[in-house]
Amino acid sequence: CPPVRFPAACSPCSGMTAVAHPRREAAISLLADLVGFPSVSLRPNGPIVTHIESYLKAQRVTCWRDPHPDGERFNMLARIGPEMAGGVLLSGHLDVVPAGDGGWGADPFTLHRRNGRLFGRGAVDMKGFLAMALAMVPDFMAQADRLSEPLYLAFTFDEEIGCFGAERMPAFLKSCSATPRLAVIGEPTGMKPINGHKGGMELMTRIKGVAGHASRPSNGVNAVHAAARLISFIEELAAEYAANPVPGSPFDPPCSTLSVGTVSGGSARNIIAGECRLDWEIRALPGDDPLHIHSRVTDFIDKDLLPAMKAADERCTISTEMLSNVPPLGPKPDCAATELVSRLWTNEAPTVVSFGTDGPFFQQAGMDVIVIGPGGMAQMHQVDEYITEQAVDEGLTFLERLLSEMTGSAGDEAGR
């Protein structure tokens, strides 16, 4: 059956009533389980993966694991429906940011329900979406033989610190003979569609000078002074891009950006600083090459800054480590993923954001990508992070409509 559009009034908050979605309590129970795993980035995530895997296998869902070389962190993929080309992929990351040392009203790794809100680290970013997808698995499995194409669930690790799990997904999908045609990244966007974002290159530069007594500056090479020159160059480069915004760009700001986040170096006021470290970043617009921007900084280091330091003392060194490189997500307004969201949820035009997601790596794997999910961005990475019960209902309703779309029964749903 051809897909049928749901009522045009559908929007992130329209059509919702006070009546709870039938799968709400199941989703909340699953969310409590997921929040209970302190799956902070860079830590082993085997326990949460095993828990999800056991849940899915109990319902006869086909699952695969993709282990990081350390054997302690895993991506996971699951398939429901026919073994064939194409498909829809729902993706979310398993890791969360640290909960911090205090300020929470209760244990951040125990889900607390209060006044229509569900509190816990990862409740909105983004275990809430994962719990909703898992809660809908019984419904998808009950109609698996009617699905026009497979439904995939993808769970990634270490999104919060560089999308390291998603970087492995194109090869992982290929090894599983999985070729989804579109991906829905369930980040908390308030159920507003996003189809583009800037890239994010995270870098660390270490400058080694020569320490000495500050009373004799000529007897050493001050690494902090060298860092100041490098910071000034990065600032000048950032100003150059800001002065040349891309005409008509939907991004704010409409240019690639550079920023120095932290600086640390030296050991005492009266000692020439022997070492200094900079943590900095590049956020490139789609269409700008972050490696080219990076090369402009390294050219300054290699051709100007370091030679000046070595002229004073050959022992000086400068090294830059690329900690992560998340590419931009290029907007494609007329893609299949955008059209799907328009049919199922809202006619609102997709927007773009400056933060990153796992999406570009699924785009690299040949999929059309849309970022849309329940819950508010304002609650991400906060003390007392929460998702509302209404947002849970919205996410479940979206997935229920997806099931109707994939089984050809959207016309029945639209007529209700």
Side-chain angles (χ1 to χ4, degrees):
C1 298
V4 178
R5 182 180 297 278
F6 285 87
C10 291
S11 68
C13 291
S14 68
M16 304 304 298
T17 69
V19 178
H21 189 280
R23 289 288 182 185
R24 179 201 280 184
E25 294 306 316
I28 292 175
S29 177
L30 285 160
L31 178 56
D33 291 343
L34 299 181
V35 168
F37 292 95
S39 52
V40 175
S41 305
L42 287 179
R43 295 182 186 174
N45 73 348
I48 191 172
V49 171
T50 297
H51 179 79
I52 294 171
E53 190 176 57
S54 297
Y55 171 83
L56 292 172
K57 286 187 173 180
Q59 299 180 68
R60 297 176 289 108
V61 177
T62 301
C63 301
W64 299 268
R65 281 194 188 198
D66 170 43
H68 182 274
D70 66 10
E72 295 186 333
R73 289 170 288 163
F74 303 87
N75 288 322
M76 185 178 170
L77 183 70
R79 186 190 69 234
I80 298 172
E83 186 176 352
M84 60 181 288
V88 176
L89 180 143
L90 305 177
S91 177
H93 59 84
L94 295 165
D95 64 310
V96 299
V97 297
D101 297 327
W104 288 76
D107 178 6
F109 294 107
T110 299
L111 191 72
H112 294 272
R113 188 174 189 175
R114 187 170 65 252
N115 298 327
R117 295 178 176 181
L118 306 163
F119 295 86
R121 176 55 86 216
V124 73
D125 184 22
M126 58 179 299
K127 292 179 176 179
F129 177 76
L130 301 183
M132 294 167 217
L134 292 172
M136 287 297 296
V137 165
D139 292 343
F140 275 93
M141 285 299 294
Q143 300 194 56
D145 59 349
R146 295 184 59 202
L147 293 175
S148 58
E149 57 185 334
L151 175 77
Y152 291 96
L153 304 178
F155 306 86
T156 64
F157 65 86
D158 290 357
E159 184 270 353
E160 295 288 4
I161 57 167
C163 300
F164 296 131
E167 187 177 12
R168 300 172 56 88
M169 285 303 298
F172 181 33
L173 289 164
K174 185 176 181 180
S175 72
C176 300
S177 300
T179 56
R181 62 185 179 87
L182 63 87
V184 177
I185 314 298
E187 290 280 359
T189 67
M191 293 304 293
K192 296 179 180 293
I194 291 169
N195 67 349
H197 62 67
K198 292 183 177 181
M201 181 182 288
E202 305 294 329
L203 303 122
M204 176 181 67
T205 297
R206 294 185 183 275
I207 301 174
K208 291 189 177 181
V210 178
H213 199 285
S215 64
R216 298 291 299 275
S218 62
N219 286 351
V221 181
N222 196 309
V224 169
H225 290 178
R229 288 193 62 200
L230 178 56
I231 292 169
S232 292
F233 179 81
I234 292 172
E235 184 180 19
E236 291 168 5
L237 196 57
E240 176 187 322
Y241 280 96
N244 294 278
V246 176
S249 173
F251 287 89
D252 181 18
C255 61
S256 296
T257 61
L258 298 89
S259 177
V260 177
T262 67
V263 183
S264 59
S267 55
R269 174 181 52 79
N270 61 348
I271 297 176
I272 299 168
E275 295 187 3
C276 192
R277 164 180 161 168
L278 310 181
D279 290 290
W280 55 290
E281 68 165 24
I282 300 169
R283 293 183 183 263
L285 284 178
D288 280 355
D289 183 0
L291 292 175
H292 172 70
I293 301 173
H294 173 257
S295 70
R296 294 187 65 183
V297 178
T298 56
D299 281 352
F300 169 75
I301 292 172
D302 295 340
K303 297 176 181 179
D304 188 332
L305 184 58
L306 185 57
M309 295 177 69
K310 283 186 171 293
D313 196 304
E314 278 293 328
R315 291 174 291 175
C316 296
T317 63
I318 302 177
S319 61
T320 297
E321 181 181 356
M322 188 181 297
L323 303 177
S324 67
N325 182 20
V326 178
L329 177 65
K332 295 182 178 180
D334 299 323
C335 74
T338 301
E339 293 171 358
L340 177 72
V341 169
S342 178
R343 287 196 299 274
L344 301 187
W345 194 254
T346 178
N347 292 324
E348 184 176 356
T351 58
V352 299
V353 292
S354 292
F355 61 79
T357 72
D358 282 341
F361 295 103
F362 293 102
Q363 195 172 66
Q364 287 181 357
M367 288 173 242
D368 286 343
V369 175
I370 196 77
V371 182
I372 183 171
M377 295 182 190
Q379 282 71 59
M380 297 167 61
H381 301 189
Q382 301 297 313
V383 169
D384 285 337
E385 175 184 348
Y386 70 86
I387 188 169
T388 66
E389 293 179 18
Q390 179 182 342
V392 173
D393 289 340
E394 291 171 2
L396 290 168
T397 299
F398 175 81
L399 295 175
E400 184 177 50
R401 292 175 179 176
L402 175 62
L403 173 58
S404 296
E405 166 93 4
M406 296 179 70
T407 56
S409 56
D412 296 336
E413 188 75 21
R416 291 181 185 178

